[in-house]
Amino acid sequence: MKILVIGSGGREHSIVWKLAQSNVVDKIYCAPGNAGIAEIAECVEVESKDLTSLLDFVKYEWIDLTIVGPEEPLAQGIVDIFQKEGRKIIGPTKAGAQIESSKVFAKDFMKRNKIPTAEYKVFTSYTHAEEYIRLKGFPIVIKADGLAAGKGVFVCHTYEDATEALRLIMKEKIFGPAGEKVLVEECLQGKEVSYLVFTDGKTIVPMVTSKDHKRLLDNDEGPNTGGMGTFSPNPIITPELEKEILEKIIKPTIKGLKKEGIVYRGILYAGLMIVNEKPYVLEFNCRFGDPETQVILPRLETDLLDIFMAMAEQKLHKVEVKWKKDVSLCVILASNGYPGKYKKGIPIQGLEMIKGLNDIIIFHAGTKYDDEGRIVTNGGRVLGLTAIGKDLKEARQKVYSAIELIHFEGMHYRKDIGLIS
Ligand code: AMP
Ligand code: GLY
């Protein structure tokens, strides 16, 4: 079979890496991919938002199945377009992707369907939002409605922080139309969990749990990022809590969407806050997490292609999905300045040395080959190092010793992945 994976991050590298182990896969293409993906797949120079060229490519190369990594093409309606042309593709339709592409849609949907989430109010006027914030007090959370590359959420501890966030979104319009509506949310205090499932719209198959570390700096300080490291499983999830997540959140979401005319097929990712042992939804994503996928897929025993094909054919109930008992941990190596501005094109040293190490998987994110054939930085999050171990301590020790071998100017990473839950 010929497969196309869309995207260029560590998430897509881990999807390609897992698919490359399948006996049924003959060839994998990745659009646009990165320097690491290029070692195991053929990278195609088409951007993930260029839906017309992607469809042309799929037709021309007789691709059997397309897997969409990032949210933007899903929000643009790539699944609707491909399905209309009779092409197999993994992901929700444009209507389903709204669960991520509009936070206002997601919150109103949760309210209608009694899915536990933080209290909120929606504003289009700065003055009204400011009045409400003064009334509510702090901490308080301010979110841009639309997609903002993981940067549209501000957890504000003071009036100054909050009005600055409102100013950036509503007056400076730093997220453009994504900030036309603003959500002001109650700040939940608890522990975060990433809970992802495969679904074909009928059957739900949970993945192993994980924990992301969204803040840039150790001890969960600094600004929010796309994610600086992950581990799996997330030890705070007990079997009882998992049952509650499935019964109170995941199942009602799939059922509620169906009731509203949306058959949700693809990956559903619930970002949860556990408060007093009860789960609340912080956000939904309509795709795999990054860097959650870098710890989830290394624990998957089942052939990923079997799962995807079953999802595409609505036969997910027929696949037995098995996971390894081991623990996995991933640490992200980022460019100096991320999640703000950063330099690109900095040579990366030590990659060859890591290749020889047992139990270490290196997932590339923002990397590319330069004109001299060197692998250089090409994004904010540059690499993710994942290790499997019998426990968190062992996985941590493996990853952090491997990091010592890697270097690029300005390399930043958190030292506490796996130490805090
Ligand atoms: P989101 O993209 O909505 O998941 O938000 C990104 C991060 O902001 C989350 O992972 C949390 O750390 C934080 N966050 C979002 N919403 C809330 C909330 N209502 N209460 C506390 N923290 C939140
Ligand atoms: N790691 C968070 C996300 O993928 O949205």
Side-chain angles (χ1 to χ4, degrees):
M1 284 187 69
K2 287 166 97 177
I3 313 290
L4 170 66
V5 176
I6 297 174
S8 61
R11 165 183 51 208
E12 288 75 21
H13 193 176
S14 53
I15 295 169
V16 170
W17 170 84
K18 186 66 193 167
L19 285 172
Q21 295 163 22
S22 166
N23 294 326
V24 207
V25 172
D26 298 311
K27 171 122 195 171
I28 308 174
Y29 296 92
C30 188
N34 60 37
I37 294 175
E39 288 181 15
I40 47 174
E42 187 173 327
C43 292
V44 191
E45 275 186 47
V46 178
E47 285 307 315
S48 53
K49 290 184 204 165
D50 184 355
L51 308 192
T52 313
S53 302
L54 289 168
L55 182 62
D56 283 349
F57 179 80
V58 161
K59 286 180 176 172
Y60 185 75
E61 287 293 341
W62 294 89
I63 300 293
D64 298 291
L65 180 71
T66 301
I67 292 114
V68 189
E71 58 278 16
E72 289 93 348
L74 295 167
Q76 282 174 277
I78 190 169
V79 171
D80 311 60
I81 295 169
F82 273 44
Q83 281 177 350
K84 213 159 139 199
E85 296 280 339
R87 303 287 159 175
K88 283 200 173 83
I89 183 161
I90 299 298
T93 57
K94 185 174 183 170
Q98 284 181 98
I99 201 100
E100 173 166 5
S101 66
S102 167
K103 287 186 189 290
V104 173
F105 171 87
K107 292 294 277 192
D108 291 347
F109 169 82
M110 285 188 260
K111 198 170 174 185
R112 284 196 295 278
N113 289 279
K114 302 193 171 51
I115 293 164
T117 188
E119 248 186 66
Y120 70 104
K121 234 173 148 62
V122 182
F123 295 94
T124 49
S125 133
Y126 176 94
T127 321
H128 292 158
E130 190 267 343
E131 268 171 22
Y132 180 74
I133 281 163
R134 241 180 315 133
L135 199 78
K136 280 284 167 185
F138 303 94
I140 201 150
V141 182
I142 297 179
K143 300 182 176 181
D145 172 42
L147 295 180
K151 294 171 193 162
V153 175
F154 298 81
V155 180
C156 305
H157 293 274
T158 62
Y159 175 79
E160 286 69 33
D161 290 352
T163 43
E164 175 62 4
L166 286 182
R167 194 185 62 78
L168 290 172
I169 306 174
M170 302 181 99
K171 294 197 168 159
E172 264 191 47
K173 300 192 190 326
I174 57 167
F175 304 119
E180 270 166 20
K181 289 186 194 159
V182 166
L183 278 163
V184 180
E185 255 182 50
E186 163 200 14
C187 186
L188 297 175
Q189 320 268 3
K191 294 202 187 265
E192 285 190 48
V193 174
S194 301
Y195 197 83
L196 286 81
V197 302
F198 298 106
T199 179
D200 59 2
K202 295 192 289 195
T203 305
I204 293 167
V205 176
M207 299 187 207
V208 284
T209 59
S210 54
K211 152 91 187 164
D212 189 10
H213 298 67
K214 289 246 170 66
R215 301 298 195 95
L216 180 69
L217 307 172
D218 285 4
N219 296 317
D220 283 340
E221 286 172 10
N224 264 328
T225 70
M228 294 300 294
T230 36
F231 57 77
S232 170
N234 187 325
I236 71 158
I237 301 289
T238 58
E240 298 76 49
L241 187 52
E242 179 153 18
K243 192 159 172 255
E244 179 137 354
I245 293 169
L246 277 167
E247 296 303 325
K248 297 258 168 70
I249 292 168
I250 305 293
K251 287 186 190 170
T253 300
I254 303 295
K255 220 169 129 186
L257 287 169
K258 202 177 278 172
K259 209 171 65 197
E260 300 187 9
I262 299 168
V263 179
Y264 190 97
R265 277 200 249 170
I267 311 301
L268 179 67
Y269 161 158
L272 308 172
M273 186 75 92
I274 311 299
V275 185
N276 298 329
E277 289 164 48
K278 295 274 174 228
Y280 293 82
V281 178
L282 294 178
E283 62 163 351
F284 280 120
N285 294 317
C286 60
R287 44 149 181 99
F288 279 108
D290 190 343
E292 283 87 343
T293 313
Q294 290 90 307
V295 288
I296 291 175
L297 292 185
R299 294 189 58 209
L300 179 64
E301 277 182 1
T302 311
D303 187 328
L304 182 59
L305 187 71
D306 288 347
I307 302 176
F308 284 152
M309 287 307 285
M311 283 163 72
E313 291 164 2
Q314 290 207 286
K315 290 183 185 152
L316 194 52
H317 62 285
K318 293 205 168 157
V319 183
E320 195 193 345
V321 178
K322 289 193 178 158
W323 302 94
K324 293 189 181 118
K325 292 255 177 297
D326 314 68
V327 166
S328 52
L329 182 136
C330 173
V331 176
I332 297 296
L333 309 182
S335 299
N336 181 29
Y338 173 77
K341 288 206 178 82
Y342 49 82
K343 272 203 285 187
K344 289 183 183 177
I346 300 169
I348 305 168
Q349 275 110 34
L351 287 168
E352 284 306 316
M353 283 200 277
I354 303 269
K355 275 191 188 156
L357 298 179
N358 276 340
D359 297 338
I360 288 282
I361 319 165
I362 182 141
F363 291 122
H364 288 232
T367 69
K368 68 166 192 179
Y369 283 98
D370 71 1
D371 294 342
E372 292 165 46
R374 298 175 304 180
I375 296 184
V376 297
T377 64
N378 192 39
R381 291 188 290 176
V382 176
L383 298 165
L385 262 61
T386 296
I388 295 268
K390 63 176 188 313
D391 53 28
L392 270 181
K393 193 170 162 209
E394 189 183 274
R396 240 184 82 77
Q397 188 267 325
K398 285 180 186 172
V399 170
Y400 281 102
S401 340
I403 289 178
E404 310 246 308
L405 303 172
I406 299 256
H407 178 73
F408 57 87
E409 186 202 312
M411 178 171 109
H412 165 75
Y413 60 95
R414 276 181 63 160
K415 318 280 185 302
D416 63 348
I417 308 299
L419 287 184
I420 53 171
S421 61

